[in-house]
């Protein structure tokens, strides 16, 4: 397994629930290291740009409104097999289908407000990391 980096977002619903520390603890217990982090209240343009691949989907407008409804915490996670490991800890997109003990099963209310985002491939991880962080803001162990 290779050491990878992936982009993670704690969405406005989870920030409002005051579970940032619990979620960070799950990353660390899984062997994922937080190598960049920031709290940000996204602008509409930033949220639309981030989710541009979903622009034609029926839920796009609601998704953007939700993502700008409050601050988010954005981080880069590093570790063995980080992209897949992070997706596993997050659980399925729909919290009703998420495995017990995952972040979405424990904290998300619905498929629309589902607590966390995680890159779904190594290729997208690189694009998403660059969307939110300058190279100088990321402090990898592997540097
Ligand atoms: N989403 C939604 N309604 C849907 C499907 C997706 O609001 O029916 C939102 C949800 O917040 C999800 C995001 O769009 O996390 C991106 O969808 P994707 O299928 O990429 O899921 P993810 O990779 O986040 O599990």
């Amino acid at each position: 397994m290779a050491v990878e980096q992936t982009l993670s977002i704690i969405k406005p619903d989870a920030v409002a629930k005051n579970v940032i520390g619990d979620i960070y603890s799950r990353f660390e217990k899984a062997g994922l290291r937080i190598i960049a982090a920031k709290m940000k209240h996204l602008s509409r343009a930033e949220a639309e740009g981030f989710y541009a691949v979903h622009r034609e989907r029926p839920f796009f407008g609601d998704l953007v409104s939700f993502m700008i409804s409050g601050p988010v915490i954005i981080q880069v996670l590093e570790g063995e097999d980080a992209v897949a490991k992070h997706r596993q800890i997050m659980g399925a997109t729909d919290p009703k289908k998420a495995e017990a003990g995952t972040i979405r099963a424990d904290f998300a209310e619905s498929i629309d407000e589902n607590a966390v985002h995680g890159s779904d491939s190594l290729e997208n991880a690189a694009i998403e990391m660059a969307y939110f962080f300058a190279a100088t803001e990321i402090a990898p162990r592997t540097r």
Side-chain angles (χ1 to χ4, degrees):
M1 272 188 297
V3 173
E4 297 174 348
Q5 296 170 353
T6 191
L7 194 278
S8 156
I9 303 177
I10 301 179
K11 295 183 179 182
D13 56 330
V15 172
K17 276 189 177 160
N18 205 21
V19 291
I20 296 164
D22 188 311
I23 293 173
Y24 267 27
S25 174
R26 291 169 189 231
F27 295 155
E28 292 175 348
K29 284 185 181 128
L32 297 173
R33 186 174 289 274
I34 296 150
I35 61 166
K38 65 174 80 166
M39 179 175 256
K40 205 165 195 274
H41 198 142
L42 299 180
S43 68
R44 183 169 290 278
E46 280 173 323
E48 285 176 351
F50 183 73
Y51 279 119
V53 293
H54 294 304
R55 192 171 286 278
E56 304 307 324
R57 308 282 289 277
F59 57 80
F60 181 72
D62 288 343
L63 173 59
V64 168
S65 296
F66 164 59
M67 288 300 288
I68 66 174
S69 66
V72 298
I73 303 265
I74 311 166
Q75 47 279 321
V76 177
L77 306 177
E78 183 180 74
E80 293 276 339
D81 211 13
V83 173
K85 193 178 275 181
H86 181 220
R87 297 279 300 185
Q88 198 181 331
I89 299 167
M90 287 165 55
T93 309
D94 182 351
K96 290 187 209 74
K97 296 181 182 151
E99 212 175 301
T102 59
I103 294 168
R104 283 167 166 169
D106 289 347
F107 299 129
E109 301 302 330
S110 68
I111 192 167
D112 313 281
E113 305 203 355
N114 60 2
V116 280
H117 166 85
S119 309
D120 62 3
S121 68
L122 208 46
E123 190 188 5
N124 283 338
I127 294 167
E128 293 178 357
M129 283 162 54
Y131 192 81
F132 285 119
F133 293 97
T136 51
E137 293 177 308
I138 302 173
R141 293 264 293 183
T142 48
R143 178 173 284 164

